[in-house]
Structures are given as C-alpha cells and as structure tokens.
C-alpha cells in the first residue's frame, strides 16, 4: 500500500517535470481541479527552482513555506 503511494507520487513528480513556471503555479493554485498529491508534486518543482534569495538556503520544509509565502499560495 505504501509502496504504491510512493510510486504514484513519483509518477506525478515526473509528469510535472517539464512544465513552465506559470503552469506549475496554476496547478498549485487550482485546489478544486487537481488532487492534493498532484499539487504537492508541482509545488515541489517550484521549491526546487526558486531562487536563493527566496529560499535563503534553508531546509526543504522551511523553503516550501517561504516559497508559498513568496507566491501567495
């Protein structure tokens, strides 16, 4: 059961890999259109691509909060 969830989330990360910044923001903001896991995969790419001036070199969980605050998500 857990393995399937991890594999599905990995697939969602792979599906959102080549999307543009605007498309990723649109996915993360569309709460009723996409599942929470798909939005989390898109947010993961936004966090990884965020500039250092936003993330401040912090650990991932804090970077995610900073990126959400920066983009108003």
């Amino acid at each position: 059961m857990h393995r399937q969830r991890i594999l599905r989330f990995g697939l969602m990360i792979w599906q959102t890999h080549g999307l543009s910044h605007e498309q990723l923001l649109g996915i993360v903001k569309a709460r009723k259109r996409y599942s929470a896991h798909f939005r989390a995969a898109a947010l993961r790419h936004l966090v990884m691509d965020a500039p250092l001036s936003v993330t401040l070199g912090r650990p991932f969980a804090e970077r995610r909060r900073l990126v959400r605050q920066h983009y108003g998500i």
Side-chain angles (χ1 to χ4, degrees), residues 19-33:
L19 299 178
S20 69
H21 186 77
E22 291 79 23
Q23 289 174 320
L24 291 171
L25 275 175
I27 290 170
V28 173
K29 289 181 179 181
R31 300 187 102 192
K32 293 185 178 183
R33 187 170 182 186

Side-chain angles (χ1 to χ4, degrees), residues 3-72:
R3 178 183 236 166
Q4 288 178 338
R5 289 180 72 187
I6 292 169
L7 289 174
R8 264 188 283 151
F9 186 65
L11 178 63
M12 290 178 196
I13 291 173
W14 180 76
Q15 289 172 337
T16 56
H17 173 67
L19 299 178
S20 69
H21 186 77
E22 291 79 23
Q23 289 174 320
L24 291 171
L25 275 175
I27 290 170
V28 173
K29 289 181 179 181
R31 300 187 102 192
K32 293 185 178 183
R33 187 170 182 186
Y34 299 105
S35 71
H37 288 108
F38 195 71
R39 289 184 291 118
L43 180 62
R44 189 176 198 85
H45 287 294
L46 283 175
V47 170
M48 298 311 287
D49 293 338
L52 189 59
S53 61
V54 174
T55 61
L56 306 173
R58 306 294 174 139
F60 184 79
E62 193 170 346
R63 283 192 329 233
R64 186 178 59 225
R65 283 190 291 272
L66 291 169
V67 167
R68 289 178 65 109
Q69 181 182 16
H70 177 74
Y71 291 119

